[in-house]
């Protein structure tokens, strides 16, 4: 068996920042630290933090008055921030800067009187946060059929934004249909789908050509991981989205298969290596790394955590 190990894969800059932020917050304040929704959409990461004393909540009123609350990488609506202030919570914001960019675009377009068409998945944490910035001005669009059902009064100013973790191909199909129906529609100067999402999708498109099977490490509720598995299926490859080797069985593979392995932007490298080890143990797999693009993006920590991070770095050097 041959394994093609794709790069880039796994953690993006936003996930790295969010995970480091939660780790520092636990060290600074001690448990429990409450997190609004999952810090990132990965079960391994969530369980690891739960063991350290993080408590993941779906409602702000689950946090005791004066408690420490972190907003996840997916962002939150202004209403959630207001609830935290009213409860006198010590709130820390680990929202990915690329998600914040979409929030700011939504605010800008709404203030300028636009109706905003948000391309995304209903119920996704990121979509809920973005729509909360201007609920009266935003209409969710999931696919081309949704576009065909749209009706607006003549003279309505329209703009579109996208969820950051969408399939690039799917988003482009919806955007093309929007431009066909509404030629005057506005869009931000720089696209919203994040660099890491695009790079991981590009790797699957290129490297899966040589493969019989595509393995995507990531959780079922991870939008960007789901898109990677879908790309493999679109290319007529057997494709599996798994949290780790515990989700695999020997009868899924043949001894001479070529397996492409990648990981969604919230999946840790440890589960990738555990999967490779499982394939090596069971099929004597030989690993070949292939990179389609370099990544060197880094996002700064939330400002309240930077002095503590600096202090820890200095202590480790002495």
């Amino acid at each position: 068996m041959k394994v093609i190990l794709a790069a880039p894969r796994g953690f993006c800059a936003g996930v790295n920042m969010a995970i480091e932020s939660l780790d520092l917050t636990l060290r600074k304040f001690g448990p429990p630290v409450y997190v609004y929704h999952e810090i990132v959409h990965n079960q391994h990461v969530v369980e690891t933090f739960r063991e350290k004393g993080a408590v993941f909540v779906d409602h702000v009123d689950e946090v005791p008055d004066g408690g420490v609350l972190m907003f996840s990488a997916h962002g939150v609506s202004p209403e959630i921030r207001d609830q935290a202030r009213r409860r006198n919570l010590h709130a820390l914001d680990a929202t990915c800067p690329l998600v914040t960019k979409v929030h700011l675009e939504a605010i800008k377009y709404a203030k300028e009187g636009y109706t905003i068409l948000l391309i995304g998945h209903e119920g996704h944490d990121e979509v809920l946060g973005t729509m909360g910035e201007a609920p009266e001005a935003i209409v969710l669009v999931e696919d081309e059929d949704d576009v065909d059902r749209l009706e607006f009064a003549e003279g309505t100013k329209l703009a579109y934004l996208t969820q950051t973790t969408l399939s690039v191909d799917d988003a482009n199909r919806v955007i093309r249909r929007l431009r066909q129906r509404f030629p005057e529609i506005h869009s931000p100067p720089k696209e919203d789908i994040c660099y890491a999402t695009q790079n991981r999708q590009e790797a699957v498109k290129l490297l899966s050509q040589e493969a019989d099977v595509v393995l995507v490490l990531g959780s079922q509720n991870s939008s960007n991981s789901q898109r990677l598995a879908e790309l493999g299926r679109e290319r007529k490859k057997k494709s599996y989205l798994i949290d780790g080797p515990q989700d695999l069985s020997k009868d899924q593979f043949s001894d001479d298969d070529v397996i492409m392995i990648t990981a969604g932007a919230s999946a840790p490298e440890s589960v990738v290596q555990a999967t490779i080890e499982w394939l090596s143990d069971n099929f004597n797999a030989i690993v070949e790394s292939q990179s389609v693009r370099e990544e060197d993006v880094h996002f700064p920590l939330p400002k309240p955590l930077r002095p503590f991070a600096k202090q820890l770095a200095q202590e480790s050097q002495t």
Side-chain angles (χ1 to χ4, degrees), residues 59 103 138 142 173 190 224 273:
H59 305 282
H103 281 226
I138 299 179
E142 294 199 80
R173 281 192 285 271
K190 191 170 184 292
N224 77 89
Q273 295 305 319

Side-chain angles (χ1 to χ4, degrees), residues 33-62:
V33 168
Y34 295 84
V35 185
Y36 186 75
H37 294 154
E38 295 182 349
I39 185 68
V40 297
H41 285 158
N42 183 269
Q43 295 310 304
H44 182 85
V45 172
V46 168
E47 287 305 318
T48 299
F49 275 119
R50 193 171 272 134
E51 290 168 6
K52 293 180 179 179
V55 180
F56 299 94
V57 299
D58 291 323
H59 305 282
V60 174
D61 59 14
E62 296 177 59

Side-chain angles (χ1 to χ4, degrees), residues 112-182:
E112 293 174 358
Y114 284 85
T115 295
I116 302 157
L117 307 179
L118 177 61
I119 305 169
H121 298 297
E122 185 174 7
H124 189 276
D125 290 343
E126 181 187 328
V127 166
L128 294 173
T130 302
M131 293 189 75
E133 294 289 0
E136 73 293 337
I138 299 179
V139 177
L140 182 64
V141 176
E142 294 199 80
D143 53 32
E144 292 156 286
D145 290 341
D146 284 349
V147 176
D148 292 340
R149 287 189 286 267
L150 294 171
E151 295 294 339
F152 297 105
E154 189 174 342
T156 301
K157 296 198 300 182
L158 299 175
Y160 71 80
L161 301 172
T162 64
Q163 181 182 329
T164 64
T165 55
L166 295 180
S167 156
V168 175
D169 294 338
D170 288 349
N172 284 338
R173 281 192 285 271
V174 176
I175 290 167
R176 278 196 297 272
R177 186 65 61 87
L178 282 171
R179 292 196 179 281
Q180 288 168 0
R181 285 213 60 201
F182 311 106

Side-chain angles (χ1 to χ4, degrees), residues 164-236:
T164 64
T165 55
L166 295 180
S167 156
V168 175
D169 294 338
D170 288 349
N172 284 338
R173 281 192 285 271
V174 176
I175 290 167
R176 278 196 297 272
R177 186 65 61 87
L178 282 171
R179 292 196 179 281
Q180 288 168 0
R181 285 213 60 201
F182 311 106
E184 303 300 315
I185 195 167
H186 283 240
S187 64
K190 191 170 184 292
E191 62 185 15
D192 294 328
I193 296 178
C194 99
Y195 77 94
T197 296
Q198 296 189 53
N199 290 348
R200 281 147 191 71
Q201 290 177 19
E202 180 186 22
V204 171
K205 289 178 185 178
L206 294 174
L207 301 180
S208 66
Q209 295 175 30
E210 306 172 42
D212 303 299
V213 181
V214 174
L215 285 184
V216 179
L217 275 299
S219 293
Q220 297 298 322
N221 62 338
S222 166
S223 177
N224 77 89
S225 300
Q226 286 280 5
R227 303 292 84 73
L228 296 176
E230 287 173 5
L231 277 175
R233 294 184 199 111
E234 286 173 9
R235 280 148 183 77
K236 311 302 181 188

